[in-house]
Amino acid sequence: MQPLSEHEGVIIPFNRANIDTDLLLPKQYLKSLEACGFGDFLFDDERYLDPGEIDTPIASRRRNPACILNNPPWDKGSVVLAQANFGCGSSREHAVWALRDFGVRVVIAPSFGDIFRNNCFNNGVLPLQLAQQDVDTLFAIVQSQPGICAQVSVSERRLQVGELELDFELEEGRRQRLLQGLDEIGETLAFADRIKAYENMRKAEEPWLFKG
């Protein structure tokens, strides 16, 4: 997993609430269990004028010019700004894979679906939760300055957009995993030597538990 310490990217605004995981990545793309290659299908129903499948050539599909993701500079954006309950709906981790593969490293919203939020942390994407008032202020800035960038510091827990600076809360354990590029399994494997030493100690002290 790619570490996330400092990030700067164009803000992609979606000024609506309850963007669910099916909108982020429709169900037909769940056929693939590979954890990569989903960036072209992010917001698929809004991004294309015709339906697609996992094996439909992207070059053959008609892009919707009204979709923000099809227009510069947002087509290269990496910070999503949205309203409450972002990532609600099903538990599909594929939705986060699609965001990550598109290039998104930070999602800013007043609240998130619980499972989606956990999936973000396990895939190197920061779900940055702010107060509604601060999110509304950010939308006003983005509306007046389309294409503006956000600067996000995980190490300092700080967000800057133009002249606006905001501190945000981030649990220390998750902050460290983002900084080190570790998911929960990777964090556990960092203690592999200690785990092995404990197993060997148990085998020596209680060998009957390991027979057969």
Side-chain angles (χ1 to χ4, degrees):
M1 190 172 81
Q2 186 178 357
L4 179 60
S5 176
E6 312 291 326
H7 181 75
E8 180 175 355
V10 171
I11 298 174
I12 310 170
F14 289 96
N15 197 358
R16 47 186 150 142
N18 303 312
I19 293 177
D20 62 29
T21 52
D22 189 59
L23 182 58
L24 291 171
L25 190 76
K27 59 186 180 301
Q28 64 265 29
Y29 297 107
L30 306 186
K31 298 173 185 177
S32 175
L33 298 179
E34 298 294 330
C36 60
F38 294 95
D40 285 333
F41 313 126
L42 179 66
F43 282 95
D44 194 85
D45 290 341
E46 297 186 357
R47 204 163 156 197
Y48 301 99
L49 296 172
D50 43 17
E53 293 285 344
I54 192 69
D55 54 355
T56 303
I58 291 297
S60 69
R61 302 184 67 190
R62 295 175 298 135
R63 294 180 181 267
N64 179 6
C67 179
I68 191 171
L69 297 183
N70 290 331
N71 295 286
W74 304 285
D75 59 341
K76 303 297 183 185
S78 57
V79 178
V80 167
L81 176 64
Q83 292 290 359
N85 205 25
F86 189 92
C88 57
S90 76
S91 61
R92 67 190 70 171
E93 192 171 11
H94 295 65
V96 178
W97 296 346
L99 285 163
R100 181 200 60 196
D101 292 351
F102 183 84
V104 173
R105 298 305 308 275
V106 180
V107 180
I108 303 171
S111 59
F112 296 91
D114 288 341
I115 297 176
F116 173 86
R117 185 172 183 270
N118 289 332
N119 286 337
C120 280
F121 283 116
N122 282 326
N123 286 279
V125 175
L126 171 64
L128 200 169
Q129 187 167 335
L130 295 176
Q132 183 67 60
Q133 180 179 352
D134 292 331
V135 170
D136 292 340
T137 299
L138 287 173
F139 271 111
I141 292 173
V142 171
Q143 184 176 11
S144 65
Q145 302 179 64
I148 193 171
C149 288
Q151 295 174 310
V152 181
S153 173
V154 173
S155 57
E156 297 183 6
R157 298 183 178 95
R158 183 171 300 162
L159 166 69
Q160 182 170 351
V161 179
E163 297 181 356
L164 177 67
E165 288 191 19
L166 296 170
D167 294 327
F168 58 87
E169 296 182 2
L170 181 59
E171 187 265 327
E172 180 61 19
R174 283 176 160 164
R175 187 179 78 95
Q176 288 299 326
R177 286 199 290 273
L178 285 173
L179 292 172
Q180 298 173 50
L182 297 174
D183 59 13
E184 292 174 342
I185 294 175
E187 184 180 39
T188 300
L189 291 177
F191 297 93
D193 291 343
R194 293 172 62 179
I195 293 170
K196 187 64 177 178
Y198 176 78
E199 290 175 343
N200 291 336
M201 179 194 71
R202 289 294 305 275
K203 287 179 180 179
E205 292 181 350
E206 303 170 304
W208 60 88
L209 295 177
F210 299 89
K211 289 183 178 180

